[in-house]
Amino acid sequence: MNDVSALHERVLHQLHSKSVHDPDFRALDWIGRQMRPLRTVLDVGANGGQTVATLRAVLGGEVAIHCFEANPRLWSGLDRIAELAGGAIEIHRCGLGAEPGELTLLVPSVDGVVYLEESSLDPAQFDKPWVREKYQERGGLELEPVRVPIVRGDDFQLQPDLIKVDVEGFEAQALRGLVETIRRCRPALLVENSDWHNVTELLDGLDYAPYRWEGEGMAKFHGACTNTFYLPRELALELIDAAPEPAQPSADSADSAAEPAVAAGGYDEASDVAAHRAEVDYAFEVLAQCGALPAADALVLDVGGGAGAHSAMIAGRVGRIYCSDFSDQNARFGGELVKLLQEKAQRNGYELPSGRLEFHRVDAMDLIYRDGLFDAIFSFDAFEHIPDPAKALSEMLRVLKPGGTICMKFDPMWTCDSGSHFQYRVPEPWQHLLSDDDEFVAALKRAGGSDGEAEEFRYAMNRRRLADYRAAFDSVRARAEFLHESEWAGCAHPDGEAHPNFARCLERGYTREELLLRGMRKVIRKRG
């Protein structure tokens, strides 16, 4: 998988799970309640769409987002993310600066691995000692120059309530082209600061003060940090002096396909449908590339299918699909889950032939079906929960016809920074690998977690390491042909490898690869 595709995979998962890629963005809920509703946002340095997904998770589907991105490699992916996310999202194919024109974007790479999220219009960014050291550790730095269009943000005459800026050292230049907009609209600003002193001096002249989000409210401070909030002094001083209200967590990643209760933050059905549709569409694209699309009359199994969000979208493309899960999902909804999913399909413009979908309570490691029954098997984000992935994979091959295919994808794995599945409660990366269960559960509950969430943390993840998965797939290579294999890596936490927990995990014997690897996709054909 190329670098753009890997980034796209991560953002699609973020859309699907309604996760927040940076815990500081939870402050937007506080700003929206305390200062002003956040209806229009400028996303300056949109990259692969991470902020789009987070904004929709925190602010809901009604927020209007204007994305500005200079790198042409990311434009098509942003267009697709915007389409799948739904809502009022507009992509502007340019960077923002103090003056219009063209500049050279520097795209860093090491041994052919491109770091799209670290591209910069500021050459001095790559001369900073800590940046040079980071690339030296990776194996050496190469910079590809790309000419890109630059415009002034003021020329768009937009009315933002929030401006987010993340442009790797070019923040002050981007903001200089937005001075009139800032004076006119007095928006809140969230700046991922690689140029803290110049940005702070510029905004001080516009009567803005810097603040840091501390989990429950804003704290005024003066000093460089990763994310700085700049708030208009006429509003902020009074608000910060008041007692802060607790931040509200976003909805968790529970499958909301048939509208069960969700965590605080609400459930946006259109976004949920778009995210699941994106995952199914992408799976079928990969299958088509492999020449392995299931036939229109195929009998299909969805392993670990939960409440059927993916199965419902596959049903219209195949003859019949069994959605299997360790829990009795149909009983959970009074035996009417197919009916509820069909009504949801009608509301959201896709077809679910109700006679093609059944729900079965089945253990993935001990499938109830006879040998060679299914033409194809799918599995989305289930393998990180199954206690013995090797046994489940063997069972899947057993019930698959010769020549049939397995298409699976799972993310996040236990050993990545968000592998606890509860980073929205305990945001410190890799903390689940360093704390014992009682310590982690105590932190989760202090952050508002429920007894049910505590039980899910203790028992719902298989806690397998990368070597276990590699061994599981290697164990079936004599029986199966791997048509597609891809992996993606990265950190949900903004500090990434710089966070002290990363070094602590290395000291405990975890490898760099397993701490950074987030997920896998496989397409496997059973040999005849």
Side-chain angles (χ1 to χ4, degrees):
M1 175 177 292
N2 62 38
D3 307 282
V4 177
S5 298
L7 179 58
H8 190 214
E9 284 274 5
R10 294 200 300 272
V11 178
L12 286 176
H13 178 266
Q14 191 189 340
L15 276 172
H16 168 63
S17 64
K18 299 181 181 62
S19 61
V20 176
H21 79 290
D22 183 333
D24 283 346
F25 277 75
R26 298 193 184 283
L28 302 186
D29 175 72
W30 183 91
I31 292 172
R33 289 183 289 111
Q34 297 281 4
M35 288 183 57
R36 62 192 291 179
L38 301 181
R39 299 188 179 96
T40 300
V41 179
L42 307 192
D43 180 9
V44 183
N47 202 259
Q50 303 93 319
T51 297
V52 170
T54 290
L55 289 170
R56 291 180 64 80
V58 175
L59 302 179
E62 299 303 314
V63 62
I65 307 171
H66 290 266
C67 298
F68 294 87
E69 177 52 52
N71 193 339
R73 294 187 187 184
L74 296 167
W75 291 345
S76 61
L78 271 175
D79 288 339
R80 182 161 173 77
I81 293 296
E83 176 187 354
L84 295 171
I89 301 171
E90 185 170 352
I91 308 301
H92 303 278
R93 299 184 173 202
C94 58
L96 294 190
E99 297 295 336
E102 275 195 350
L103 290 175
T104 299
L105 179 73
L106 298 174
V107 182
S109 64
V110 175
D111 295 332
V113 177
V114 180
Y115 293 88
L116 291 166
E117 294 163 278
E118 299 175 18
S119 303
S120 179
L121 290 161
D122 179 15
Q125 175 72 7
F126 300 101
D127 290 330
K128 296 175 181 177
W130 60 90
V131 175
R132 287 202 308 270
E133 182 180 340
K134 175 174 65 178
Y135 281 103
Q136 286 169 357
E137 290 176 354
R138 292 172 177 172
L141 172 65
E142 297 179 9
L143 295 173
E144 177 191 353
V146 180
R147 295 294 287 176
V148 297
I150 302 296
V151 299
R152 294 174 70 252
D154 285 334
D155 293 342
F156 288 87
Q157 291 294 303
L158 297 170
Q159 304 285 329
D161 304 297
L162 171 73
I163 300 175
K164 164 260 173 182
V165 184
D166 179 7
V167 285
E168 301 297 327
F170 206 68
E171 294 87 3
Q173 291 297 319
L175 288 167
R176 287 189 180 102
L178 282 162
V179 165
E180 293 306 316
T181 300
I182 293 169
R183 284 191 177 125
R184 185 179 74 251
C185 301
R186 307 303 284 166
L189 291 98
L190 168 55
V191 183
E192 183 172 323
N193 254 328
S194 300
D195 191 13
W196 190 87
H197 294 287
N198 286 326
V199 168
T200 302
E201 181 180 355
L202 171 66
L203 292 175
D204 180 68
L206 298 173
D207 211 18
Y208 274 71
Y211 294 83
R212 179 175 59 204
W213 178 246
E214 294 198 336
E216 293 186 349
M218 291 288 179
K220 190 173 182 180
F221 80 110
H222 191 85
C225 70
T226 301
N227 291 319
T228 307
F229 289 87
Y230 294 93
L231 306 179
R233 284 193 175 92
E234 67 270 18
L235 290 175
L237 291 178
E238 179 180 352
L239 290 172
I240 305 310
D241 288 340
E245 294 184 16
Q248 296 296 315
S250 64
D252 65 20
S253 58
D255 186 347
S256 303
E259 303 181 77
V262 294
Y267 170 59
D268 183 343
E269 181 177 89
S271 295
D272 181 64
V273 168
H276 284 92
R277 179 178 287 161
E279 288 205 324
V280 170
D281 285 349
Y282 192 80
F284 273 76
E285 287 177 15
V286 173
L287 285 168
Q289 293 167 5
C290 296
L293 280 172
D297 61 350
L299 177 61
V300 173
L301 177 66
D302 184 1
V303 172
H310 296 102
S311 295
M313 294 181 178
I314 295 171
R317 307 187 189 205
V318 298
R320 193 171 189 82
I321 184 166
Y322 299 156
C323 182
S324 67
D325 197 84
F326 188 75
S327 300
D328 192 340
Q329 298 288 342
N330 198 30
R332 180 181 166 209
F333 295 98
E336 295 194 341
L337 187 47
V338 174
K339 176 177 176 289
L340 292 171
L341 285 167
Q342 190 172 35
E343 292 170 354
K344 182 176 181 178
Q346 291 170 350
R347 289 194 301 271
N348 289 278
Y350 70 94
E351 181 184 3
L352 169 54
S354 60
R356 298 187 189 179
L357 173 59
E358 292 182 21
F359 283 89
H360 298 165
R361 182 179 181 181
V362 179
D363 184 343
M365 299 179 296
D366 187 18
L367 296 175
I368 61 176
Y369 312 105
R370 64 173 172 82
D371 294 359
L373 177 61
F374 295 100
D375 298 289
I377 297 176
F378 289 87
S379 183
F380 297 89
D381 296 326
F383 254 55
E384 73 270 30
H385 301 287
I386 297 170
D388 189 340
K391 192 171 183 180
L393 183 59
S394 181
E395 277 289 276
M396 291 162 73
L397 282 170
R398 179 185 65 78
V399 302
L400 188 65
K401 291 179 179 177
T405 55
I406 297 169
C407 181
M408 68 163 62
K409 169 254 178 185
F410 54 100
D411 177 337
M413 297 166 63
W414 175 253
T415 49
C416 76
D417 66 333
S418 58
S420 71
H421 284 55
F422 287 97
Q423 69 274 16
Y424 63 93
R425 297 288 192 200
V426 183
E428 291 79 13
W430 299 287
Q431 190 62 46
H432 58 292
L433 303 180
L434 298 170
S435 301
D436 64 31
D437 282 4
D438 289 343
E439 291 171 339
F440 191 92
V441 165
L444 185 152
K445 288 193 171 183
R446 285 196 299 271
S450 66
D451 289 342
E453 288 174 310
E455 288 301 294
E456 185 176 348
F457 169 75
R458 289 182 186 275
Y459 303 114
M461 274 68 75
N462 62 22
R463 310 191 179 203
R464 294 282 181 164
R465 295 178 65 166
L466 177 57
D468 296 322
Y469 290 107
R470 295 262 168 86
F473 291 115
D474 287 345
S475 70
V476 301
R477 291 187 186 274
R479 302 162 54 194
E481 177 186 5
F482 283 69
L483 305 180
H484 172 95
E485 295 186 80
S486 56
E487 300 175 348
W488 47 96
C491 297
H493 194 278
D495 291 348
E497 297 175 60
H499 194 282
N501 280 357
F502 185 79
R504 294 182 185 126
C505 287
L506 291 175
E507 290 171 358
R508 292 199 177 188
Y510 293 95
T511 68
R512 181 178 183 274
E513 183 183 20
E514 67 183 330
L515 293 174
L516 296 180
L517 191 65
R518 300 194 57 80
M520 298 182 175
R521 183 184 297 276
K522 308 282 184 181
V523 177
I524 305 167
R525 176 180 286 154
K526 183 176 179 178
R527 299 187 190 275

